[in-house]
């Protein structure tokens, strides 16, 4: 980048990594937004670690020097203040100008004193934290003392449980016990934010540790927990592994150590049960808990791992030594502390926070986790599908059966407890009931009838703006954000029951909701349709949380989203869906608060989507955006990308929707694969545009006998549609290739039929013999007849300018196609010594607008072959010159 950057660590494996880290360092120092592309095998994770943490260490050192300078000048500052005060007092008599100068000088000096005092307090807190962590790091006796105290607490808790069991066996009044269990069903009086001056949260605490100021840190986000674990392992091996304060965040499903909660399985069920336990621990008894002068004590389950003292100990242990998710869970079990909440306590003091990017991109989740982005650095890795992720997170769908079920449950709840509910809560519940009634009505149904039997007269899909939907539903006069969103969010948590445990104990709302399905009530009461549980998964007892998300989405600006009315055969099959059109409106908050943002990935092309749909629409100036793409570490002659325009019989390859179903086109594809299987050793991966087309071609080849001929050279495998079968297919595919390479014979490997955008197009490594040739059949354009995509195209044409004479909607279609292609063909080259050929079967890839959207390291080595003969000669020479281990042939 033209500037010499000296890194304070002795680790620079490749010149590529040095360039990557130097550019990263510059972007962080200047507070810009960087789009970084680094192919697999270039050490991207390690480059991100060393570049970012080097900058962080330099930044902290500069900050300490500035603080020391300010504190050193403090006495002189007081002398100057007294001199200035005397001079201003003398000038007061000279008129109003002197008086204004005196006030300005006083305010400035007061700000300086406040800053010095704040720095002193921050230094004291920092010193205490460092001393505490150092003491824990070197004093093993503290751990033993803490463990001994936990054992004593466990024994005390066990004795208390025995005492409770003995008192229970004395024969309590069953009816009185049932009445007590219903006390928690009565909602406390709800007040909106405008109706109360001070919000009283459940987890308020005056402890100074909770008010600890956030140090400058780096938030590293990736797509999955496995990718985050791999990143943490890289940190442990880096030069910063011993000194960095790192905390890993995750979902309750990954971090919960309470077996009673973990056994629920589904994420939403675990979340609901955990929140219920927190309310039981922190909730206060309502005024209605006293009856007849006698105070009722309701027995509620609490989580034994939610101990503030133990979570503080876990927090310190996390900050002392780098731990991944598995190590964090093991530590939680050992210390009997909740890793989910304990890891949150470590966020303020952490220098590096590792988390899934769904947790960072969703604002309410971000706030609930205690994540503060002000003046911090965010690195989003594996960000090739960032736009789709933001859109998916903030889009939501609710079915007609869920609407009817929620209305039925809420109506029965109101009827049963009408006399005991506060007037304001009763009003809010009636408004929610009205909302649900209108939503079902706009789908063409009636909440007073069974949704399974209600047929829809006018089936089809209809798109509406948010305002039009509110007007047509006749709910435009209800303040969704102030009244309903807050009320449902507070009281509308879903509950669940485990289908295979009929005798499981349930309390509170769970008991009540389960009785609704069995209680013989009025004829107008709608019974909720049963939900079949797949693979022994829990089923939801209430859909209120899903409805809360839909109500929240309706508070978006009118131009940022659309409501899709999907009317099918019955009300149960129909649904309402909110579609987010402008993901920049949510990403803008991240960009505005952060000091710098890095968007990184192995394959980021085409980059125009990120610039236009995310950064430009979010108000980021073009001069703040920096693009950087490094080359691949493999030698240029280790990869052979070919664009093939015609097949062996000179049939032009054009797999459009109109031509790809032709028998001659499928036969030509079969002849190409037959020649490749005869020539390429090891594994060949063939990507089809869709599951339907893969099935159609497979059936055609079965009928013509081509599959039998292919099977003589390669064992055939098909990508399964079910995710739980992918590992088994990959294992068998790998064993077959390994066996063929060892034994030899007529069969030389395996042929895998995969699908673009399927289970094997992302995150799967076809390295070495697993992928010596990757074939891309046609161009996987998205379905332009999709109502969601059509609305997105209209929105982009209305909001974005044309680029190089091309409409934004056309660019969107091409970019979606090429992003999928680039992800798929990048599966083969995974390390420096790897080699593979890539075959793009469609003459349209040679068009400049398409060709320029290939990754730079592939584009600069791509050859365009008009005939199959020319391509076959180059392919044969390439694979003959390569040995199976990737070295050059002698």
């Amino acid at each position: 980048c033209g500037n010499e950057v000296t890194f304070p660590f002795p680790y620079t494996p490749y010149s590529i990594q040095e360039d990557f880290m130097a550019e990263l360092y510059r972007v962080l120092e200047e507070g810009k937004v960087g789009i970084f592309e680094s192919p697999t095998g270039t050490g991207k994770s390690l480059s991100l670690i060393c570049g970012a943490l080097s900058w962080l260490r330099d930044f902290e050192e500069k900050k300490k020097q500035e603080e020391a300078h300010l504190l050193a000048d403090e006495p002189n500052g007081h002398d100057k203040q007294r001199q200035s005060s005397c001079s201003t007092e003398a000038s007061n008599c000279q008129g109003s100008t002197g008086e204004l100068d005196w006030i300005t000088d006083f305010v400035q000096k007061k700000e300086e004193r406040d800053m010095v005092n704040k720095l002193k307090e921050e230094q004291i807190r920092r010193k205490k934290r460092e001393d505490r962590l150092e003491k824990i790091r070197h004093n093993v006796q503290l751990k033993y003392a803490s463990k001994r105290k936990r054992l004593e607490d466990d024994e005390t808790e066990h004795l208390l449980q025995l005492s409770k069991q003995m008192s229970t066996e004395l024969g309590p009044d069953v009816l009185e016990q049932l009445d007590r269990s219903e006390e928690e069903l009565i909602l406390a009086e709800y007040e909106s934010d405008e109706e109360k001056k001070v919000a009283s949260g459940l987890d308020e605490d005056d402890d100074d540790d909770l008010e600890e100021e956030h140090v400058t840190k780096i938030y590293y986000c990736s797509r999955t927990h496995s990718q985050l674990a791999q990143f943490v392992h890289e940190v442990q091996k880096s030069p910063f592994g011993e000194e960095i304060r790192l905390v890993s965040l995750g979902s309750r499903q990954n971090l919960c150590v309470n077996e009673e909660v973990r056994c629920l399985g589904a994420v939403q069920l675990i979340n609901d049960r955990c929140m219920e336990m927190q309310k039981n621990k922190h909730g206060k008894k309502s005024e209605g808990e006293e009856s007849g002068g006698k105070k009722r004590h309701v027995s509620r389950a609490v989580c034994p791992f939610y101990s503030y003292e133990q979570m503080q100990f876990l927090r310190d242990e996390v900050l002392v030594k780098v731990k991944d998710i598995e190590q964090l869970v093991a530590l939680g079990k050992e210390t009997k502390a909740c890793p989910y909440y304990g890891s949150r306590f470590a966020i303020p003091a952490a220098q590096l926070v590792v988390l899934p990017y769904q947790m960072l991109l969703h604002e309410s989740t971000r706030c609930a986790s205690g994540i503060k982005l002000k003046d911090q650095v965010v690195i989003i890795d594996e960000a090739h599908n960032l736009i789709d992720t933001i859109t998916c997170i903030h889009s939501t769908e609710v079915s007609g059966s869920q609407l009817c079920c929620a209305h039925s449950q809420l109506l029965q709840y109101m009827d049963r407890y009408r006399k005991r509910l506060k007037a304001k809560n009763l009003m809010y519940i009636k408004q929610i009931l009205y909302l649900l009634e209108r939503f079902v009505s706009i789908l063409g149904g009636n909440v007073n009838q069974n949704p399974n039997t209600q047929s829809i007269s006018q089936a089809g899909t209809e798109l509406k703006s948010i305002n039009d939907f509110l007007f047509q539903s006749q709910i435009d006069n209800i303040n969704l954000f102030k009244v309903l969103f807050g009320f449902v969010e507070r009281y509308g948590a879903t509950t669940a029951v485990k289908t295979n445990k009929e005798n499981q104990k349930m309390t509170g709302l769970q008991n009540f909701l389960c009785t609704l399905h069995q209680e013989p009530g009025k004829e107008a009461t709608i019974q909720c349709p049963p939900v079949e549980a797949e693979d022994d998964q829990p089923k939801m007892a209430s859909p209120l949380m899903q409805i809360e998300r839909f109500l929240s989405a309706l508070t978006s600006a009118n131009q940022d989203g659309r409501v899709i009315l999907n009317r099918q055969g019955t009300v149960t099959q129909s649904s309402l869906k909110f579609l987010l059109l402008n993901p920049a409106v949510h990403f803008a908050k991240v960009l505005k608060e952060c000091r710098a943002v890095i968007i990184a990935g192995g394959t980021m092309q085409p980059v125009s989507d990120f610039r236009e749909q995310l950064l430009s629409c979010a108000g980021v100036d073009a001069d703040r955006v920096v693009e950087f793409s490094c080359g691949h570490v493999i030698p240029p002659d280790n990869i052979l990308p070919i664009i093939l325009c015609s097949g062996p019989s000179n049939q032009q390859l054009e797999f459009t929707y109109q031509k790809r179903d032709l028998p001659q086109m499928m036969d030509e594809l079969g002849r190409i694969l037959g020649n490749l299987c005869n020539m390429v050793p090891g594994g060949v991966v063939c990507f089809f545009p869709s599951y339907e087309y893969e099935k159609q071609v497979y059936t055609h080849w079965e009928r013509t006998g081509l599959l039998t001929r292919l099977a003589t050279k390669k064992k055939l495998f098909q990508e399964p549609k079910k995710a739980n079968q992918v590992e088994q297919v990959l294992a068998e595919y790998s064993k077959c290739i390994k066996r063929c390479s060892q034994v030899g014979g007529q069969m030389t490997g395996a042929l895998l039929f995969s699908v673009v955008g399927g289970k094997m197009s992302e995150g799967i490594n076809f390295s070495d013999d697993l992928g010596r040739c990757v074939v891309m059949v046609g161009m996987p354009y998205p379905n332009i007849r999709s109502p969601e995509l059509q609305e997105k195209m209209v929105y982009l044409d209305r909001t974005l300018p044309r680029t190089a004479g091309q409409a934004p909607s056309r660019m969107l279609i091409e970019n979606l196609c090429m992003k999928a292609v680039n992800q798929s063909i990048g599966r083969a080259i995974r390390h420096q010594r790897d080699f593979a050929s890539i075959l793009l079967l469609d003459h349209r890839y040679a068009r400049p607008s398409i060709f320029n959207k290939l990754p730079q390291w592939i584009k600069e080595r791509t050859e365009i072959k008009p005939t199959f003969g020319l391509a076959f000669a180059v392919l044969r020479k390439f694979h003959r010159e390569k040995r199976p281990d990737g070295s050059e042939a002698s």
Side-chain angles (χ1 to χ4, degrees):
C1 57
N3 299 322
E4 183 178 355
V5 180
T6 302
F7 294 100
F9 59 89
Y11 197 89
T12 52
Y14 303 110
S15 60
I16 289 178
Q17 288 186 324
E18 293 178 359
D19 295 341
F20 186 100
M21 290 183 286
E23 192 69 7
L24 177 64
Y25 193 101
R26 184 175 71 86
V27 170
L28 298 181
E29 184 68 19
E30 298 177 3
K32 294 182 177 293
V33 177
I35 303 176
F36 282 68
E37 183 180 44
S38 179
T40 301
T42 57
K44 172 168 59 72
S45 296
L46 196 58
S47 301
L48 286 171
I49 294 167
C50 294
L53 295 184
S54 298
W55 170 85
L56 181 61
R57 190 160 69 178
D58 289 353
F59 178 84
E60 290 178 343
E61 188 63 31
K62 291 177 185 176
K63 187 177 180 181
K64 288 180 181 178
Q65 292 176 0
E66 292 174 357
E67 292 177 0
H69 180 70
L70 285 173
L71 295 176
D73 291 345
E74 183 186 0
N76 297 332
H78 286 307
D79 293 339
K80 292 178 182 178
Q81 181 183 0
R82 284 194 293 269
Q83 294 175 7
S84 177
S85 178
C86 294
S87 62
T88 51
E89 287 178 3
S91 63
N92 281 343
C93 59
Q94 297 180 2
S96 59
T97 304
E99 182 177 354
L100 292 176
D101 291 341
W102 177 85
I103 294 174
T104 303
D105 187 66
F106 175 80
V107 172
Q108 182 179 354
K109 295 300 180 182
K110 185 177 183 302
E111 291 177 353
E112 292 178 359
R113 288 197 306 272
D114 292 343
M115 181 181 296
V116 171
N117 293 334
K118 183 179 179 181
L119 289 177
K120 286 181 177 180
E121 293 175 1
E122 188 175 335
Q123 279 190 340
I124 293 173
R125 285 197 300 266
R126 185 191 307 149
K127 186 69 167 58
K128 285 183 178 180
R129 180 180 66 239
E130 292 175 352
D131 291 344
R132 184 180 70 241
L133 296 181
E134 194 68 21
K135 192 174 182 181
I136 293 174
R137 185 179 285 112
H138 298 290
N139 194 346
V140 184
Q141 293 181 356
L142 289 176
K143 297 182 180 180
Y144 289 135
S146 177
K147 187 174 183 179
R148 185 166 57 251
K149 186 178 184 304
R150 290 195 304 271
L151 294 175
E152 293 175 356
D153 293 342
D154 291 344
E155 185 177 356
T156 303
E157 183 181 354
H158 180 64
L159 292 175
L160 288 174
Q161 289 179 351
L162 289 177
S163 177
K164 289 179 181 179
Q165 290 178 3
M166 291 177 62
S167 61
T168 304
E169 292 173 357
L170 296 178
D173 187 355
V174 178
L175 295 176
E176 182 69 15
Q177 189 177 15
L178 177 60
D179 188 53
R180 291 173 186 173
S181 68
E182 293 188 356
E183 288 292 341
E184 60 184 279
L185 294 173
I186 309 304
L187 301 177
E189 184 168 8
Y190 168 72
E191 293 180 345
S192 66
D193 293 336
E194 297 179 4
E195 296 169 326
K196 55 185 178 181
K197 295 181 180 179
V198 180
S200 55
L202 293 176
D203 295 317
E204 285 183 348
D205 202 307
D206 295 331
D207 196 290
D208 292 338
D209 288 332
L210 292 182
E211 301 299 328
E212 187 175 0
E213 192 159 341
H214 286 235
V215 302
T216 302
K217 59 174 57 65
I218 296 170
Y219 288 97
Y220 174 87
C221 318
S222 193
R223 190 162 53 97
T224 63
H225 285 285
S226 60
Q227 292 169 342
L228 294 175
Q230 183 180 358
F231 177 81
V232 173
H233 294 158
E234 293 287 347
V235 174
Q236 292 171 334
K237 294 184 294 184
S238 75
F240 301 90
E242 296 296 327
E243 61 184 58
I244 190 70
R245 298 192 301 272
L246 180 148
V247 57
S248 297
L249 301 182
S251 64
R252 288 183 175 91
Q253 188 179 36
N254 292 98
L255 290 177
C256 181
V257 292
N258 189 333
E259 292 301 327
E260 177 190 346
V261 179
R262 285 178 62 88
C263 68
L264 294 175
V267 178
Q268 191 58 58
L269 305 186
I270 293 176
N271 291 342
D272 297 338
R273 182 58 175 160
C274 179
M275 293 302 299
E276 182 183 353
M277 287 183 167
Q278 300 315 307
K279 291 179 182 179
N280 293 344
K281 185 177 183 66
H282 295 282
K284 298 179 180 179
K285 301 292 186 294
S286 64
E287 297 178 359
E289 286 184 344
E290 295 188 8
S291 177
K294 183 179 178 181
K295 197 170 186 177
R296 296 179 179 175
H297 298 279
V298 181
S299 176
R300 304 178 183 180
V302 297
C303 182
F305 296 92
Y306 193 83
S307 167
Y308 176 71
E309 181 180 354
Q310 293 306 119
M311 287 191 294
Q312 292 292 88
F313 176 78
L314 182 139
R315 174 202 65 181
D316 293 339
E317 284 290 323
V318 168
L319 294 174
V320 165
K321 188 176 181 180
V322 175
K323 295 177 177 62
D324 61 14
I325 291 289
E326 294 181 358
Q327 294 168 331
L328 187 58
V329 170
L331 179 63
K333 292 179 179 179
E334 179 187 346
T335 59
K336 295 212 70 176
C338 176
Y340 178 75
Y341 286 103
S343 59
R344 292 185 178 190
F345 289 159
I347 293 177
Q351 296 168 302
L352 179 58
V353 179
V354 179
L355 70 164
Y357 56 50
Q358 291 89 341
M359 186 178 291
L360 181 131
L361 296 173
H362 195 266
E363 186 178 12
S364 61
T365 305
R366 189 166 69 235
C367 295
S369 302
I371 297 171
K372 297 182 179 180
L373 299 181
K374 183 65 176 177
D375 297 328
Q376 309 291 10
V377 172
V378 167
I379 298 177
I380 303 177
D381 201 0
E382 300 296 332
H384 55 272
N385 58 353
L386 179 61
I387 297 176
D388 294 336
T389 300
I390 298 175
T391 302
C392 184
I393 288 175
H394 297 91
S395 299
T396 183
E397 185 173 12
V398 58
S399 66
S401 61
Q402 290 176 319
L403 294 170
C404 292
C405 182
H407 185 277
S408 174
Q409 292 180 347
L410 203 56
L411 180 63
Q412 293 179 64
Y413 174 85
M414 185 187 69
D415 291 341
R416 184 166 181 173
Y417 299 105
R418 181 188 297 270
K419 295 181 180 180
R420 304 177 68 179
L421 287 168
K422 301 290 184 180
K424 193 177 297 183
N425 284 344
L426 194 60
M427 178 191 70
Y428 292 147
I429 291 176
K430 288 182 178 179
Q431 288 184 331
I432 298 173
L433 288 171
Y434 175 75
L435 274 176
L436 298 174
E437 182 181 346
R438 295 309 307 164
F439 289 160
V440 175
S441 176
I442 202 172
L443 286 175
N446 190 322
V447 292
N448 294 321
Q449 298 178 16
N450 193 326
N452 288 323
T453 58
Q454 288 188 73
S455 59
I456 303 298
S457 57
Q458 296 180 349
T461 301
E462 185 179 2
L463 280 86
K464 292 186 176 295
S465 67
I466 298 175
N467 288 344
D468 288 344
F469 175 77
L470 296 177
F471 284 126
Q472 185 174 340
S473 303
Q474 300 177 10
I475 59 173
D476 54 291
N477 59 333
I478 298 178
N479 190 334
L480 296 176
F481 188 82
K482 174 188 172 185
V483 182
L484 298 173
F485 176 35
F487 182 76
V488 177
E489 186 182 40
R490 180 174 175 182
Y491 296 121
T494 58
T495 54
V497 293
K498 190 73 173 174
T499 56
N500 64 344
K501 293 186 178 180
E502 296 180 356
N503 59 347
Q504 184 178 4
K505 295 182 179 180
M506 294 170 292
T507 59
L509 193 58
Q510 286 179 314
N511 270 331
F512 176 75
L513 293 179
C514 288
T515 61
L516 297 184
H517 302 281
Q518 305 166 359
E519 180 181 11
K522 302 176 183 179
E523 292 182 1
T525 300
I526 304 302
Q527 301 299 321
C528 300
V531 181
E532 296 296 333
E534 296 183 3
D535 300 327
D536 195 32
Q537 289 297 316
K539 63 181 181 180
M540 306 306 295
S542 175
L544 287 177
M545 186 62 72
Q546 191 73 9
I547 292 171
E548 179 268 320
R549 294 193 190 100
F550 184 72
L551 294 178
S552 174
L554 292 180
T555 63
S556 304
N558 184 58
Q559 68 273 13
D560 292 337
R562 293 291 181 269
V563 180
I564 302 175
L565 284 68
N566 183 24
R567 300 185 181 95
Q568 297 303 326
T570 63
V571 173
T572 297
Q573 298 170 343
S574 304
S575 64
L576 298 174
K577 180 179 181 179
F578 175 82
L579 173 67
L580 179 70
L581 295 177
N582 183 17
V585 71
H586 295 282
F587 196 60
K589 300 175 183 177
V590 176
L591 295 168
K592 183 179 180 180
E593 294 183 7
C594 292
R595 171 192 174 93
V597 176
I598 303 296
I599 303 172
T603 304
M604 299 295 290
Q605 295 294 333
V607 180
S608 58
D609 281 354
F610 297 100
R611 276 188 169 274
E612 296 168 5
Q613 294 186 41
L614 273 188
L615 304 182
S616 178
C617 290
V620 179
D621 295 333
D623 56 356
R624 193 190 170 197
V625 181
V626 175
E627 290 184 27
F628 177 81
S629 178
C630 64
H632 212 296
V633 294
I634 63 170
D637 55 352
N638 272 24
I639 181 174
L640 178 62
I642 293 178
I643 296 176
L644 185 59
C645 299
S646 61
S649 63
N650 293 326
Q651 171 75 43
Q652 186 184 47
L653 299 179
E654 185 177 336
F655 290 90
T656 59
Y657 286 108
Q658 294 78 18
K659 296 183 179 180
R660 70 182 189 182
D661 295 338
L662 298 175
Q664 57 266 33
M665 189 65 68
M666 291 186 281
D667 291 338
E668 194 76 341
L669 174 60
R671 284 188 282 269
I672 294 174
L673 285 180
N675 282 279
L676 287 176
C677 289
N678 290 330
M679 175 182 57
V680 178
V684 176
V685 183
C686 182
F687 284 99
F688 288 87
S690 65
Y691 285 103
E692 291 73 18
Y693 188 60
E694 186 265 341
K695 183 179 179 181
Q696 180 181 354
V697 172
Y698 194 90
T699 304
H700 176 76
W701 288 347
E702 273 185 327
R703 189 167 55 252
T704 60
L706 178 64
L707 282 183
T708 305
R709 294 193 295 273
L710 290 175
T712 59
K713 284 290 184 181
K714 305 283 186 185
K715 185 174 181 180
L716 306 182
F717 293 88
Q718 287 181 279
E719 176 182 325
K721 283 190 176 182
K722 293 185 178 180
N724 57 2
Q725 299 176 354
V726 172
E727 289 188 8
Q728 180 183 354
V729 173
L730 285 176
E732 294 177 358
Y733 174 75
S734 177
K735 288 179 182 178
C736 176
I737 293 174
K738 186 176 181 180
R739 185 173 60 251
C740 291
S741 64
Q742 293 174 348
V743 176
Q746 185 179 5
M747 186 169 289
T748 60
L751 172 61
L752 175 62
F753 297 132
S754 190
V755 176
V756 176
K759 310 294 186 302
M760 298 181 180
S761 62
E762 291 187 31
I764 303 296
N765 295 339
F766 294 109
S767 59
D768 300 324
D769 278 350
L770 295 182
R772 289 306 181 198
C773 182
V774 175
V775 181
M776 177 63 62
V777 179
M779 300 186 67
Y781 282 109
N783 181 14
I784 59 174
R785 296 175 182 173
S786 164
E788 292 91 339
L789 184 58
Q790 288 181 349
E791 194 64 26
K792 181 76 172 180
M793 293 167 63
V794 172
Y795 171 79
L796 292 179
D797 285 340
R798 188 170 60 248
T799 56
L800 297 180
R802 297 175 70 90
T803 304
Q806 202 171 26
S809 58
R810 180 62 188 174
M811 290 189 64
L812 171 68
I813 298 299
E814 289 186 356
N815 290 347
L816 290 174
C817 170
M818 293 308 297
K819 278 184 183 293
V821 170
N822 294 339
Q823 281 298 313
S824 299
I825 63 179
R827 299 299 95 203
I829 304 295
R830 311 307 292 177
H831 59 83
Q832 188 179 11
R833 295 171 58 84
D834 206 356
F835 72 92
S837 57
I838 298 173
L839 211 55
L840 304 176
L841 304 184
D842 202 303
H843 74 93
R844 291 175 293 172
Y845 282 108
R847 296 175 181 174
S849 61
I850 301 297
F851 182 79
N852 290 330
K853 291 177 181 178
L854 289 170
Q856 184 65 31
W857 63 278
I858 292 181
K859 181 173 60 176
E860 62 190 12
R861 305 169 189 179
T862 300
E863 301 180 16
I864 301 175
K865 300 299 180 181
T867 62
F868 180 77
L870 295 175
F872 185 80
V874 175
L875 283 168
R876 182 169 53 188
K877 180 181 178 182
F878 174 81
H879 286 283
R880 279 184 176 179
E881 291 178 349
K882 299 295 178 181
R883 289 183 177 178
D885 60 357
S887 62
E888 294 290 343
S890 57

